Amino acid sequence: MEIIEPIGHHELLLVIVQLTVLLFVARVLGETFSSIGQPAVVGELLAGVLLGPSLLGFVAPGVYESLFVVSESQFHLLEIISWLGLIMLLLVTGLETDIDLVISKGKTAVFLSLGGILVPFATGFALGWFLPSEFIVSADHRLVFSLFIATAMSISAIPVIAKILLELDVIRRDIGQLILAAGMVDDTIGWILLATVAGLARTGVADLGSAAVTIFSVLVFLGAAFTIGRRLIAETIRWVDNAIGSDIALLSTVMVFALAAGALTQYMGLEAILGAFVVGVLVGQVKRFTFQVRHVFETMTLAIFAPLFFAIAGLRMDLATLADPLVFGVGLVVLAVACVGKFGGIMGVSGLAGLSKWEGITIGGGMNARGAMEIIVATIGLGLGILTTSMYSIIVMVAIVTSLMAPAIMRWSIPKIEMGEAERQRIERERYLEDSFVNNLNRVLLPTRGTVDTQYAARLISPLLRNLQADLDLLCVTPSAESGRTHRGVRGRLGRLVARIGGRSETGTDSGTDELEYRSDSDEIDRVFSSVERRLGPIAGETRRLVRESDGSPAESILETATGGYDLVVLGERTLERSPSRPLFSQTVDRVVQETPCPAMVVSTSDAVKQDPTSIDDPIDRILLPTIGTQTSRHAAEVAFTIALEERALVEIVHVVASHRSDDRFVRRTPRSHELDVGDRIVDREAELGRQLGAKVVTTVTVSDDPGEELVDIADRTDADVVVMGSNTRPMTQRAFFGPNVEYVLTNAPCPVVVLSSP
């Protein structure tokens, strides 16, 4: 076996220096343009031109030659980095693409794309047919040359457009998504045209078979991607998150998918960027790839790889060739035809598509950017012997100039596009979802012993997780085999101890300690899980059964399991008698609440539910939501609104203003009117969120000497079905303490109570 020698010392040094210079200049120019109100992509595009023969080669030819006048194999090292940046940029573009919104605007996007293809293609073909023969490699190839110019005029640059939209912060707006959708259709048609023209150049005859194969390949790939690929990507990301739970692992997984899909589309005769873009779209629909992980990937791409891609793309251009008057004149004509053709085509159909004048200008300005896509087309034409060096430089110049024009046009026109109410609500909802507590639940842990309390907890989890792509793990803790032998006695080897995760027995006896009951090794554990699963019903994510053996307290196993990347631990537990020194819950639940690394939700059932377990399935018509305006109260509000939406329940948002005691001399009294105004603002803020999510809400602000007692009275008067509260645990003696008002409601409410606690 022949051993491949590593890259030479000088070659490695040179590529590192090249990347250093390119990234430094690209970022400096990018930040410079950002500081004057222009997108950074403009400066990054210019970096390659300035470092190429146009400026550096003219001012310091020795430096330029030592850096960039290298062998083809050496320059290919840079091109590999460039393609990696291009793939990552298209992946980011896919992540930001709302496929449902694009589909809803599909007809308009196709209409715009046809206008942006047909008119530039016709004007480009006419231009190529009448250009002077000096710009054609062979007069016999006039037809091929004209078709190639037409294709070059029709193409748009999705990476440049995407980066401009990202930097202008409009990629999530309807106009941004419409530009992306039209651009993708435009480019797909453009690559098919390019394949046809390239086949014609190679064979000298119109290769319609090649075009048909290309179209078929695109349809096959997209069909497989959005069926088999969608499921494969979703299941793999979920498995990686469950098994590893690392952001690094998720990023690596997504990048592997992008590279694999890029390799597949390249093998099929398509472009690697198509595969990367489609993977981005599919990953963007997987909830496990959270906004935080996405932000990390976007930051890495836009800070390092995208600037390198844009800078490397401009290195091939030589402005010196444009100094010739004829070449310069033809270049201006080509630029004019390119802009008029694209703008004319878009503006011509925008009115027919029901778009405003400013929307047409914005879309025309965005799709007029050719960027590196046209540079790639020009490179292919040069390699196939279709273009002369002068014509190559003209096409590259058109690509750069149109890319510089696009952000200026879009920055000028976008503010003039009025945002509709539906679009505004969609964007506000998306911004809320980025920081939403409920929407970012990916993994939930429910320790269970099969009691009424955990069954009711499962009954509340069901509407909470019904439409979320969140996985639910049911956990049963059992003593280890060694521990179990000391307790089996006459029950022999078939018996097994299942650890109770609470301190109240099935008959309701308070013990305050963890009890152990003899249960069958498999049948009883299955009964525990089945009793909870019956209350769950269907949820969007997966439900798993976990059994953990423990030599000590069940709390140890629950806490150890909770460290595995869970976003919420749900505990079903009745409260014990209220006492300042005794735990409010059993020792196990009390410890889990105190030490859990993630938020905990404790569900405490009422005596009525305990006496009649069949009432667990009763509909929830009214939810009481006390709030004090804290972040935890906000999270509890999200839980209440989500349950209310699924149950079609009414949420009453309550804020209780505590009365001042007459003998409280150490407290500075705030005017009652001011406290009531603050209370109104608090409940109105939560009510606005509820209405935004679509829930039915009413608000109440009241005054009481004892807020906890007032909340219990309100729950009793309004016949509330459940109370949902948010509270942070507070250090007090050796037990979890939620505060006197929350604990009073927990122990005295006539209905089940849910307390969401953040660590």
Side-chain angles (χ1 to χ4, degrees):
M1 177 179 177
E2 183 179 353
I3 299 176
I4 300 176
E5 295 185 3
I7 186 173
H9 173 79
H10 177 73
E11 288 79 5
L12 179 60
L13 172 63
L14 184 58
V15 75
I16 292 175
V17 173
Q18 288 172 332
L19 292 174
T20 303
V21 174
L22 286 166
L23 182 60
F24 174 76
V25 176
R27 290 304 304 129
V28 168
L29 290 180
E31 293 297 334
T32 301
F33 274 79
S34 294
S35 66
I36 60 176
Q38 296 295 320
V41 65
V42 177
E44 293 166 0
L45 277 168
L46 285 176
V49 178
L50 297 182
L51 290 173
S54 304
L55 182 64
L56 184 62
F58 178 76
V59 176
V63 177
Y64 168 71
E65 290 177 3
S66 62
L67 275 178
F68 299 113
V69 180
V70 295
S71 64
E72 288 186 2
S73 59
Q74 181 74 45
F75 194 81
H76 289 338
L77 294 175
L78 280 182
E79 287 187 322
I80 292 173
I81 303 297
S82 175
W83 272 99
L84 184 61
L86 180 59
I87 288 172
M88 294 177 69
L89 187 54
L90 264 295
L91 182 57
V92 169
T93 305
L95 290 173
E96 293 292 340
T97 301
D98 188 334
I99 191 64
D100 294 329
L101 184 61
V102 170
I103 291 174
S104 68
K105 297 181 178 295
K107 292 182 179 179
T108 304
V110 172
F111 206 52
L112 289 169
S113 180
L114 290 177
I117 281 281
L118 295 178
V119 177
F121 189 87
T123 56
F125 183 86
L127 173 67
W129 193 259
F130 292 106
L131 274 178
S133 58
E134 292 91 327
F135 295 90
I136 306 175
V137 174
S138 173
D140 297 336
H141 292 169
R142 172 72 71 172
L143 176 61
V144 177
F145 175 79
S146 300
L147 289 172
F148 195 88
I149 296 299
T151 302
M153 296 298 100
S154 304
I155 205 88
S156 294
I158 284 294
V160 174
I161 295 171
K163 196 159 193 299
I164 293 171
L165 293 173
L166 284 168
E167 292 183 350
L168 294 179
D169 195 26
V170 295
I171 197 167
R172 298 302 302 176
R173 286 196 58 180
D174 287 358
I175 188 68
Q177 294 292 298
L178 188 55
I179 292 173
L180 284 178
M184 284 307 300
V185 176
D186 195 324
D187 272 7
T188 301
I189 297 175
W191 292 122
I192 294 173
L193 290 173
L194 180 61
T196 305
V197 175
L200 179 60
R202 293 187 184 98
T203 63
V205 295
D207 191 359
L208 297 180
S210 175
V213 170
T214 302
I215 296 172
F216 180 73
S217 299
V218 170
L219 295 177
V220 169
F221 174 75
L222 293 178
F226 284 94
T227 53
I228 301 172
R230 182 200 297 269
R231 183 174 181 83
L232 175 63
I233 288 176
E235 293 297 330
T236 302
I237 291 179
R238 178 181 286 114
W239 179 84
V240 169
D241 193 31
N242 288 339
I244 303 176
S246 164
D247 291 350
I248 295 176
L250 286 176
L251 290 172
S252 301
T253 302
V254 171
M255 196 62 196
V256 167
F257 272 120
L259 292 172
L264 178 60
T265 50
Q266 191 75 19
Y267 174 78
M268 296 172 66
L270 309 173
E271 291 296 323
I273 58 174
L274 176 63
F277 175 79
V278 171
V279 167
V281 172
L282 296 178
V283 171
Q285 297 178 308
V286 180
K287 190 169 175 290
R288 289 298 185 91
F289 199 71
T290 63
F291 292 104
Q292 293 77 12
V293 180
R294 181 182 305 178
H295 178 70
V296 172
F297 187 82
E298 289 180 355
T299 301
M300 178 177 62
T301 300
L302 299 180
I304 301 173
F305 290 96
L308 284 172
F309 161 69
F310 288 116
I312 293 171
L315 281 176
R316 291 180 181 270
M317 182 179 179
D318 187 359
L319 294 177
T321 59
L322 300 177
D324 183 276
L326 179 61
V327 176
F328 183 74
V330 170
L332 291 180
V333 172
V334 174
L335 177 62
V337 170
C339 295
V340 172
K342 186 68 76 171
F343 263 104
I346 297 296
M347 292 298 293
V349 299
S350 61
L352 299 176
L355 301 176
S356 68
K357 177 185 70 174
W358 292 112
E359 287 175 322
I361 292 174
T362 302
I363 296 170
M367 293 182 64
N368 188 46
R370 269 65 173 200
M373 295 298 98
E374 190 159 84
I375 294 174
I376 293 171
V377 172
T379 304
I380 293 173
L382 189 65
L384 291 174
I386 301 174
L387 301 181
T388 63
T389 304
S390 298
M391 199 64 210
Y392 168 82
S393 296
I394 289 175
I395 293 179
V396 172
M397 180 271 294
V398 170
I400 293 177
V401 172
T402 54
S403 297
L404 295 177
M405 292 169 57
I409 294 172
M410 296 171 69
R411 184 178 291 276
W412 168 63
S413 61
I414 284 176
K416 297 178 174 60
I417 301 175
E418 295 184 3
M419 185 181 295
E421 182 62 23
E423 181 183 5
R424 184 188 63 80
Q425 291 179 357
R426 177 182 63 81
I427 291 176
E428 287 180 355
R429 179 175 175 80
E430 288 177 353
R431 289 173 178 169
Y432 151 73
L433 291 176
E434 289 184 7
D435 300 319
S436 165
F437 171 75
V438 171
N439 188 65
N440 287 301
L441 292 177
N442 294 315
R443 298 181 66 196
V444 177
L445 179 66
L446 173 60
T448 179
R449 60 187 184 277
T451 61
V452 171
D453 304 299
T454 50
Q455 290 181 46
Y456 192 82
R459 189 257 182 274
L460 288 182
I461 288 177
S462 179
L464 185 65
L465 303 183
R466 192 165 297 156
N467 295 317
L468 292 176
Q469 294 178 0
D471 293 342
L472 174 64
D473 288 348
L474 305 177
L475 172 65
C476 182
V477 181
T478 69
S480 65
E482 291 299 323
S483 175
R485 290 193 185 99
T486 61
H487 295 276
R488 286 186 178 121
V490 296
R491 295 181 180 267
R493 301 178 64 85
L494 296 178
R496 191 169 191 178
L497 292 171
V498 177
R500 294 287 310 278
I501 308 174
R504 184 184 289 269
S505 68
E506 290 293 336
T507 60
T509 305
D510 296 337
S511 65
T513 60
D514 298 322
E515 298 180 7
L516 297 176
E517 294 182 349
Y518 287 106
R519 302 188 187 275
S520 168
D521 184 37
S522 59
D523 294 343
E524 288 300 323
I525 292 178
D526 182 71
R527 189 196 66 80
V528 167
F529 285 129
S530 297
S531 64
V532 174
E533 290 169 345
R534 283 195 299 270
R535 309 296 184 182
L536 274 175
I539 61 175
E542 294 183 352
T543 302
R544 298 190 305 170
R545 294 180 173 187
L546 304 179
V547 178
R548 297 284 185 266
E549 292 187 346
S550 173
D551 289 329
S553 166
E556 296 279 358
S557 296
I558 297 174
L559 290 170
E560 182 180 353
T561 305
T563 59
Y566 289 93
D567 304 298
L568 179 68
V569 174
V570 181
L571 303 160
E573 178 73 7
R574 281 302 312 275
T575 58
L576 306 177
E577 292 183 1
R578 193 180 180 201
S579 170
S581 58
R582 292 183 60 190
L584 190 64
F585 303 105
S586 66
Q587 293 178 358
T588 297
V589 172
D590 185 80
R591 183 179 172 190
V592 171
V593 170
Q594 290 185 76
E595 301 180 19
T596 177
C598 61
M601 189 170 82
V602 183
V603 180
S604 176
T605 57
S606 60
D607 290 334
V609 175
K610 199 73 173 178
Q611 295 168 4
D612 181 16
T614 61
S615 64
I616 292 176
D617 297 320
D618 289 348
I620 298 175
D621 298 318
R622 192 179 187 96
I623 299 174
L624 183 63
L625 176 65
T627 180
I628 57 175
T630 62
Q631 185 69 22
T632 308
S633 292
R634 182 76 165 188
H635 293 167
E638 289 188 41
V639 172
F641 295 143
T642 305
I643 295 174
L645 279 172
E646 294 297 320
E647 298 287 324
R648 298 181 180 179
L650 174 71
V651 179
E652 181 176 6
I653 308 170
V654 179
H655 177 77
V656 181
V657 177
S659 299
H660 297 297
R661 296 183 178 179
S662 58
D663 60 347
D664 196 352
R665 302 178 181 178
F666 298 99
V667 177
R668 181 176 178 272
R669 291 178 173 82
T670 305
R672 180 60 46 80
S673 60
H674 176 71
E675 292 180 332
L676 291 173
D677 287 341
V678 171
D680 286 333
R681 289 197 293 271
I682 290 174
V683 296
D684 287 345
R685 173 176 173 268
E686 306 296 7
E688 181 181 357
L689 172 62
R691 296 188 186 101
Q692 180 182 346
L693 296 177
K696 296 181 294 182
V697 299
V698 295
T699 60
T700 300
V701 177
T702 185
V703 181
S704 175
D705 293 335
D706 191 333
E709 186 176 339
E710 177 67 16
L711 291 172
V712 171
D713 289 342
I714 293 175
D716 193 21
R717 290 197 310 267
T718 62
D719 196 23
D721 296 300
V722 64
V723 180
V724 180
M725 311 178 72
S727 178
N728 296 101
T729 56
R730 311 173 192 178
M732 181 178 180
T733 63
Q734 298 298 316
R735 73 175 181 88
F737 178 62
F738 296 102
N741 296 325
V742 175
E743 296 202 352
Y744 185 88
V745 174
L746 274 167
T747 52
N748 295 279
C751 60
V753 179
V754 176
V755 178
L756 181 65
S757 173
S758 299

